[in-house]
Amino acid sequence: GSSSSALTMTRAMLLTMQLLALCGVAAPFSLSLRHRRSRPSGLCPFGVPPAWRSAYDELGLFHEEHGHADVPLKIDGAKSELGSWVYAQRRRALFNKVSAEQRELLDRLGFTWKLDPALLAFGEMTVALEAYYAEHGDYQVPKKYVPNPILGLWVAYVRRDHVR
C-alpha cells in the first residue's frame, strides 16, 4: 500500500538525483555515501553535462589564443586546471567514458587523444621545429613549451631516443 508507494517514490527520487549528478547538476541534498558509491558510471543521458561544457568552452578560448587544444598540466610552473581537465578527457577516453558528442566537440578543436611522440608526423614536426628556429634562433624547445606542447614533447622524444 502506502509504504510500498513511498519506497518506490524514494527510489525514483534517488535515481533522478543520480542521473542529475551524472550530468553535473547538484542535488538539493546530498546522497548517502552508500548511494554515491553505487551511482551508475554511464554517461549523462541528457547530452553534455554543464560542467563539462563549461570546461570545453574554456578549452575553445585556449584554442583560439594558442591555435591548439593541447593544454599542458603546468603553465609557468603552476598547475593548470584546464590542463588537468584535458588530461582527464584523455584518461576517460581510454575507458570509453567520453560520449560521441563530447568526442566530436573535442575533435573540432583538433584535440590530441594520444600524446605519443612516436606517432607524430615527422614532416609536420620538422616544419614546426623550423618555425621555432625562425622565431628563437635555436632548436632548444623546452619540453613544456606552452605555445606548442606537442613540439616540446616531440623534441624531447627525439633527443632521448634518437640522438646518441
Side-chain angles (χ1 to χ4, degrees), residues 94-145:
L94 290 174
F95 298 102
N96 296 318
K97 299 289 183 186
V98 176
S99 72
E101 184 178 359
Q102 290 170 333
R103 183 174 286 276
E104 181 182 327
L105 288 168
L106 290 168
D107 284 344
R108 287 182 195 166
L109 297 178
F111 192 81
T112 305
W113 292 100
K114 291 184 180 179
L115 292 179
D116 185 347
L119 300 177
L120 299 172
F122 188 82
E124 288 177 32
M125 297 314 301
T126 55
V127 167
L129 185 58
E130 286 300 324
Y132 179 90
Y133 179 83
E135 185 177 338
H136 299 278
D138 63 43
Y139 295 104
Q140 303 301 314
V141 182
K143 185 174 181 183
K144 296 183 179 189
Y145 180 54

Side-chain angles (χ1 to χ4, degrees), residues 69-88:
D70 301 311
V71 185
L73 285 170
K74 287 186 176 183
I75 298 176
D76 297 328
K79 183 178 177 182
S80 163
E81 285 187 36
L82 184 59
S84 296
W85 182 84
V86 165
Y87 176 80

